[in-house]
Amino acid sequence: MKVRDLLKDNVIFCYADEPVECAVAKMYAANVGSVVVMDRANRPVGIVTERDIVRFLAQEIDLKTPLEQVAKKSLITVSPEESIVSAAAKMIENNIRHMPVVEGGRVVGVISIRDVLRALVTAEAIP
């Protein structure tokens, strides 16, 4: 099974110059655990996750702070053509729970560790 098989229709994102509260609102509205941070040319430049939001609150970072100042910039990505096992290995190796799927420099989706685990369990249960 390939990463492409896990993709949903839309990518939840905020622009780098938008505030942290944009990420909070979009995660809440879409019931997701991460938001991709994009530049105004729609290129991925970072990611903000639920864990990051908790850290921001603990550090008393103002929710009006632009995402470009606080988002993780070392973006770990996966190709839609990579196997799910390869994606799982990247997530474990980098201790991450959300990973943008990038094709041709464009984000085409985001997968979570839950998506990967569900696919692996399903594949195991139905050989």
Side-chain angles (χ1 to χ4, degrees), residues 1-54:
M1 184 178 270
K2 303 252 185 234
V3 168
R4 178 177 302 287
D5 301 322
L6 302 179
L7 297 181
K8 307 208 174 37
D9 292 338
N10 56 351
V11 176
I12 309 301
F13 72 94
C14 291
Y15 289 111
D17 58 357
E18 292 183 301
V20 170
E21 63 191 359
C22 172
V24 172
K26 287 193 175 183
M27 278 191 257
Y28 176 73
N31 194 31
V32 295
S34 67
V35 171
V36 178
V37 179
M38 306 277 225
D39 66 16
R40 288 290 174 169
N42 288 323
R43 292 182 302 247
V45 295
I47 191 166
V48 172
T49 68
E50 296 163 317
R51 281 192 215 175
D52 295 325
I53 299 300
V54 170

Side-chain angles (χ1 to χ4, degrees), residues 76-79 82 84-96 99:
I76 310 297
T77 65
V78 65
S79 157
E82 283 187 58
I84 292 172
V85 172
S86 172
K90 275 187 184 182
M91 293 173 108
I92 291 167
E93 180 179 311
N94 292 284
N95 195 31
I96 58 175
M99 190 164 48

Side-chain angles (χ1 to χ4, degrees), residues 60-96:
E60 297 181 6
I61 291 174
D62 187 343
L63 295 181
K64 302 281 186 206
T65 303
L67 288 165
E68 60 200 351
Q69 292 181 20
V70 294
K72 289 180 189 162
K73 293 179 179 74
S74 58
L75 203 55
I76 310 297
T77 65
V78 65
S79 157
E81 297 309 314
E82 283 187 58
S83 73
I84 292 172
V85 172
S86 172
K90 275 187 184 182
M91 293 173 108
I92 291 167
E93 180 179 311
N94 292 284
N95 195 31
I96 58 175

